[in-house]
Amino acid sequence: MQINTHLQQLPGNYLFTEIANRTQAYQAAHPSARILRLGIGDVNRPLPAAISDAMHRAVDELTRVETFRGYGPENGYDWLRQAIVDYDYTSRGIHLSPEEVFISDGAGSDLGNLSELFDTANSVAILDPSYPAYVDTSRMAGREIIFLPCVAEHNFRPELPARKADIIYLCFPNNPTGTVLTRKELAAWVDYARANHSIILFDAAYEAFIEDPDVPHSIYEIDGAQEVAIEIRSYSKSAGFTAVRCGYTVVPKATGLQAMWRRRQCTKFNGASYISQRAALATYTAEGKAGLSANLNYYKQTARLLMDGLQDLGYRVYGGKNAPYIWCETSNKMDSWQFFDFLLNSCQVVCAPGVGFGEAGQGFVRFSAFSNRDDCHEALRRLQSL
Amino acid sequence: MQINTHLQQLPGNYLFTEIANRTQAYQAAHPSARILRLGIGDVNRPLPAAISDAMHRAVDELTRVETFRGYGPENGYDWLRQAIVDYDYTSRGIHLSPEEVFISDGAGSDLGNLSELFDTANSVAILDPSYPAYVDTSRMAGREIIFLPCVAEHNFRPELPARKADIIYLCFPNNPTGTVLTRKELAAWVDYARANHSIILFDAAYEAFIEDPDVPHSIYEIDGAQEVAIEIRSYSKSAGFTAVRCGYTVVPKATGLQAMWRRRQCTKFNGASYISQRAALATYTAEGKAGLSANLNYYKQTARLLMDGLQDLGYRVYGGKNAPYIWCETSNKMDSWQFFDFLLNSCQVVCAPGVGFGEAGQGFVRFSAFSNRDDCHEALRRLQSL
């Protein structure tokens, strides 16, 4: 047997491992230090009762012969697919059918597996900096990658690829920069894809943080996008489901890919957990929405606290509005890891070095609204006394 | 963008769709008929209290700030990986480390995704008949397939490939034939793989049905297997988790593939549901084991009922011992679909036509121990009065 050399030769991604290692080394050398972790990208607010009640009911159903369920439909239960169409799309004037919505165990799986739809000879355009899995997945398939630098001079908005890109990963609101695109800005990407017969894989994991009416919640708010875009969504950040595991991907029939994705999923995926799908359905109830809105507001307030606090201290910060991430320029032209070490050593604050998300992230770090609120207050106090 | 033509050109697999269509058509034409479904491969016994209690506790943990959890480790929680090593392997004299065990959302995903580890130029050997996903996954990757016919003359045991196979899918206890291999018979496959530098993907989904001490529960009971075999296991049939979604795959370091699979999973998978992993852990408690053992005995008794009943009626049946599936030769040399139609029309019994699992399945049908017990009794009565 011969192994897949693209996968074998893939360099390790050590960003979060390296953060953990340096943090642990500091703690070991300073056992009494209270380290404040402000770089994390994971939720911390508990599930609202409307969600957990739905999960308890689903578990109970599985304990009785009369209500026991086995395999669900590979592409998700109709009641969840219909709720998604109604609440996430029809409500915004977007027409989709439930057959175009595919329930999954999370956006991470779909973002990786969607790559299988395309010929490996296809080139991929990826924002720099970006969530590392886009690059890693593309390298595993042996694809040519066109990096699209997102720099301060252009407010971290990428420019259209100079040469033809077949597949384009876009993530807005963006991880890690917190950048959003207006409807008009996003339309330029849809136009590019239509003109070049490209496909856009639109990662909308942070959609719930959008407040500005000029910022589209879905790429399908743009005319013609259903022909050229697949949208990947997640309950991880909007509903705190990083442990629960549920997400969905929209593959419009107009892309010509819907039947292929259905075939892929029916062959290599046996459906998301019934309990998780019931939890996802509960996010659309009045009680569910109210509980999740309270959690989202909490994260948004944390984002505002960090934004304002860092700005008051003289840092140049970006993102943080319509997004849970604050992209912060290092002080004194330090590189990302120098600044990481400086903050860790001088005030025991941990951030995420921007260069870990791509070369264009050099000179920046990411702070996260998913950090503990008290830790944010304390971190700003410590930064002030530097 | 160019699509993956291997995926695009994949013929549809219509076995279960066709079964459903013919059954619905019959019901529509005969509204008062009570149709007995004996072809299904899905569990129906409810979860024992020890399992559901663990799930309720896990849900409750997610509702409180102090016990909330977000992302788990991509490869599964250490407590579950350790329990698997201890209870499923060490107890049988097999030495594995928890880092060689990868928790997933089910065997279906792993059986599909493991294909990514290997060069697409590699050939694949697949039993005929077999679970359709092995063939479909291999075709999606554009691989050459070597079919290994399993015929009555050889008791449905496959012969070693006549020419070199790089990747070999084996499933024992077998779906759909119910065949098992003795330790000595399985050792011949391990020897073949070692001699030919092949890798065996060993699907052990039905391991819990094994009772015969000569039949190995794990391929790692065979000396040297850790160098050439990946074992895929599932809680779906052993614990009734087809709705819960949890399984695991063992990739021994001796295969040289453990680090690659870890990298693949860390990039394209964000871990199994926390609730499902807690449920899986509960299967190893005394109460969990007792509850599951009762369910398994129920299915085994159903298998025995079907085996004995069909045999008494003069049918030639195979499998059904150490396995939940009964492989039944059609009467009067009918082909699989003729016999399906005959049973549906004459006594409203639904089976799974063997040819749907591969050409060598022609002339056979599959009955399942996961069928409703009362329906089995009634089906045997109706068959007797034919």
Side-chain angles (χ1 to χ4, degrees):
Chain A
M1 147 284 289
Q2 257 86 52
I3 56 183
N4 172 350
T5 49
H6 300 302
L7 176 50
Q8 184 192 29
Q9 291 161 8
L10 188 67
N13 188 289
Y14 298 117
L15 174 61
F16 291 99
T17 313
E18 185 62 22
I19 291 173
N21 289 348
R22 293 196 192 198
T23 306
Q24 277 164 23
Y26 185 89
Q27 188 79 76
H30 306 82
S32 65
R34 184 177 154 225
I35 295 176
L36 309 171
R37 289 171 175 79
L38 268 58
I40 46 175
D42 194 4
V43 293
N44 55 44
R45 304 296 302 161
L47 298 182
I51 313 288
S52 57
D53 288 351
M55 298 172 79
H56 283 306
R57 282 194 300 272
V59 170
D60 283 336
E61 282 183 55
L62 301 183
T63 64
R64 291 189 299 269
V65 172
E66 312 78 48
T67 53
F68 182 81
R69 285 169 187 254
Y71 288 117
E74 287 97 337
N75 300 320
Y77 279 99
D78 287 341
W79 34 260
L80 181 55
R81 301 171 90 183
Q82 186 66 55
I84 289 165
V85 166
D86 293 344
Y87 293 102
D88 290 343
Y89 292 102
T90 307
S91 64
R92 297 191 183 280
I94 298 162
H95 299 291
L96 287 170
S97 80
E99 298 79 50
E100 297 172 304
V101 176
F102 295 82
I103 311 301
S104 75
D105 68 320
S109 302
D110 287 354
L111 282 165
N113 297 333
L114 281 163
S115 168
E116 293 176 36
L117 292 177
F118 312 107
D119 193 294
T120 51
N122 278 188
S123 61
V124 186
I126 301 178
L127 309 189
D128 177 9
S130 76
Y131 173 63
Y134 310 145
V135 173
D136 291 347
T137 293
S138 303
R139 287 199 171 131
M140 279 183 200
R143 297 185 194 283
E144 179 204 3
I145 301 177
I146 302 164
F147 286 102
L148 307 173
C150 301
V151 296
E153 295 72 52
H154 292 102
N155 266 313
F156 301 101
R157 279 156 186 74
E159 295 191 71
L160 293 167
R163 59 207 167 92
K164 187 176 177 311
D166 301 306
I167 305 167
I168 304 166
Y169 282 95
L170 294 181
C171 174
F172 294 103
N174 186 259
N175 176 17
T177 67
T179 304
V180 290
L181 297 190
T182 62
R183 220 164 255 106
K184 192 177 160 197
E185 289 168 331
L186 186 56
W189 286 87
V190 171
D191 292 344
Y192 173 92
R194 285 162 64 96
N196 290 278
H197 302 286
S198 313
I199 186 92
I200 296 172
L201 303 180
F202 191 76
D203 181 352
Y206 302 98
E207 169 273 336
F209 288 85
I210 296 171
E211 296 187 319
D212 191 327
D214 281 348
V215 176
H217 287 249
S218 164
I219 194 167
Y220 304 125
E221 293 183 38
I222 311 300
D223 279 345
Q226 290 201 23
E227 295 167 29
V228 293
I230 291 174
E231 182 162 288
I232 300 95
R233 292 232 193 158
S234 170
Y235 295 97
S236 287
K237 308 301 160 78
S238 63
F241 276 20
T242 50
V244 173
R245 310 306 315 141
C246 197
Y248 66 85
T249 286
V250 178
V251 186
K253 287 180 183 161
T255 58
L257 299 166
Q258 188 266 358
M260 281 173 64
W261 183 242
R262 187 181 64 224
R263 191 77 170 88
R264 191 274 169 206
Q265 290 296 84
C266 287
T267 303
K268 299 194 190 182
F269 182 59
N270 268 331
S273 157
Y274 175 63
I275 298 107
S276 305
Q277 291 190 66
R278 281 290 179 197
L281 185 68
T283 67
Y284 298 105
T285 62
E287 298 79 6
K289 280 183 194 166
L292 296 179
S293 176
N295 281 352
L296 279 168
N297 283 334
Y298 183 93
Y299 296 130
K300 289 174 184 173
Q301 286 162 11
T302 307
R304 173 60 53 96
L305 170 73
L306 283 172
M307 281 288 283
D308 292 351
L310 289 165
Q311 222 152 14
D312 289 349
L313 292 170
Y315 289 99
R316 296 183 73 164
V317 290
Y318 304 86
K321 289 172 191 155
N322 305 301
Y325 296 120
I326 293 107
W327 192 238
C328 178
E329 198 175 316
T330 64
S331 52
N332 299 320
K333 302 204 177 298
M334 278 185 259
D335 75 22
S336 296
W337 281 110
Q338 285 171 339
F339 190 64
F340 173 93
D341 287 334
F342 167 70
L343 290 185
L344 178 61
N345 290 310
S346 62
C347 56
Q348 297 77 55
V349 167
V350 174
C351 59
V355 72
F357 298 94
E359 285 180 27
Q362 186 57 279
F364 290 84
V365 297
R366 188 189 79 174
F367 290 103
S368 166
F370 300 118
S371 308
N372 178 287
R373 178 77 61 82
D374 292 337
D375 286 358
C376 293
H377 281 294
E378 174 64 15
L380 291 169
R381 270 191 294 273
R382 292 185 190 175
L383 284 165
Q384 190 163 27
S385 62
L386 277 185
Chain B
M1 146 285 288
Q2 258 87 52
I3 58 183
N4 173 350
T5 49
H6 300 302
L7 176 50
Q8 185 192 29
Q9 291 161 7
L10 188 67
N13 187 289
Y14 298 116
L15 173 60
F16 291 99
T17 312
E18 185 62 23
I19 291 173
N21 289 348
R22 294 195 190 199
T23 307
Q24 278 163 22
Y26 185 89
Q27 187 79 74
H30 307 82
S32 65
R34 182 176 156 226
I35 295 177
L36 308 173
R37 290 171 173 78
L38 269 54
I40 47 176
D42 196 3
V43 292
N44 55 42
R45 302 298 300 161
L47 298 182
I51 313 287
S52 57
D53 289 350
M55 297 172 81
H56 283 306
R57 282 195 300 272
V59 171
D60 283 336
E61 282 183 55
L62 302 182
T63 65
R64 293 189 298 270
V65 173
E66 311 79 47
T67 52
F68 182 81
R69 285 169 187 254
Y71 288 117
E74 286 96 339
N75 301 322
Y77 279 98
D78 287 339
W79 33 261
L80 181 54
R81 302 171 89 182
Q82 187 67 56
I84 289 164
V85 166
D86 293 345
Y87 293 102
D88 290 342
Y89 293 102
T90 307
S91 63
R92 297 192 184 280
I94 297 163
H95 299 290
L96 287 169
S97 80
E99 298 79 51
E100 296 171 306
V101 176
F102 296 82
I103 312 300
S104 74
D105 67 320
S109 302
D110 287 354
L111 282 165
N113 297 333
L114 280 164
S115 167
E116 294 176 35
L117 292 177
F118 311 107
D119 193 296
T120 51
N122 278 187
S123 62
V124 186
I126 300 177
L127 308 190
D128 177 9
S130 75
Y131 173 62
Y134 310 145
V135 172
D136 291 347
T137 294
S138 302
R139 287 200 172 129
M140 279 185 201
R143 298 185 193 284
E144 180 205 2
I145 301 177
I146 302 164
F147 287 101
L148 306 174
C150 300
V151 296
E153 294 71 51
H154 292 101
N155 266 312
F156 302 100
R157 280 155 186 74
E159 294 191 72
L160 292 167
R163 57 206 168 94
K164 187 176 176 311
D166 301 307
I167 304 166
I168 303 166
Y169 284 94
L170 294 181
C171 174
F172 294 104
N174 186 259
N175 176 16
T177 67
T179 305
V180 290
L181 297 190
T182 63
R183 218 165 256 106
K184 193 178 161 198
E185 288 168 332
L186 185 56
W189 287 87
V190 171
D191 291 344
Y192 174 92
R194 286 162 62 95
N196 289 278
H197 302 287
S198 315
I199 186 93
I200 296 172
L201 303 180
F202 190 77
D203 182 351
Y206 302 98
E207 169 273 335
F209 288 85
I210 296 170
E211 297 189 318
D212 190 328
D214 279 349
V215 175
H217 287 249
S218 164
I219 194 168
Y220 304 125
E221 292 182 39
I222 311 300
D223 278 345
Q226 291 202 22
E227 294 167 31
V228 293
I230 291 174
E231 182 163 288
I232 300 95
R233 290 232 192 159
S234 170
Y235 296 96
S236 287
K237 308 302 159 77
S238 63
F241 276 20
T242 51
V244 172
R245 313 304 314 140
C246 197
Y248 66 85
T249 286
V250 178
V251 186
K253 287 180 183 162
T255 59
L257 299 166
Q258 187 267 357
M260 282 174 64
W261 183 242
R262 187 180 65 223
R263 191 79 170 88
R264 191 276 169 204
Q265 290 295 82
C266 288
T267 302
K268 299 193 189 183
F269 182 60
N270 269 330
S273 157
Y274 175 63
I275 298 106
S276 306
Q277 291 190 66
R278 281 291 179 196
L281 185 67
T283 67
Y284 298 105
T285 62
E287 297 81 5
K289 279 183 196 167
L292 296 178
S293 176
N295 282 350
L296 279 168
N297 283 334
Y298 184 93
Y299 296 129
K300 289 174 184 172
Q301 286 162 10
T302 308
R304 172 60 53 96
L305 169 74
L306 283 172
M307 281 287 284
D308 292 351
L310 289 164
Q311 222 151 15
D312 289 349
L313 292 170
Y315 290 99
R316 295 184 73 164
V317 290
Y318 304 87
K321 289 173 191 154
N322 304 301
Y325 296 121
I326 292 107
W327 192 237
C328 178
E329 197 174 318
T330 64
S331 51
N332 298 320
K333 301 206 178 296
M334 279 185 256
D335 76 22
S336 297
W337 281 110
Q338 284 171 338
F339 190 64
F340 173 92
D341 288 334
F342 168 70
L343 290 186
L344 178 60
N345 290 309
S346 61
C347 57
Q348 297 78 54
V349 166
V350 175
C351 59
V355 73
F357 298 94
E359 286 179 27
Q362 187 58 278
F364 290 83
V365 299
R366 189 190 78 175
F367 290 102
S368 166
F370 300 119
S371 309
N372 178 287
R373 177 78 60 82
D374 292 337
D375 286 0
C376 292
H377 281 293
E378 174 64 14
L380 291 169
R381 270 191 294 271
R382 293 186 190 174
L383 283 165
Q384 191 162 24
S385 62
L386 277 184

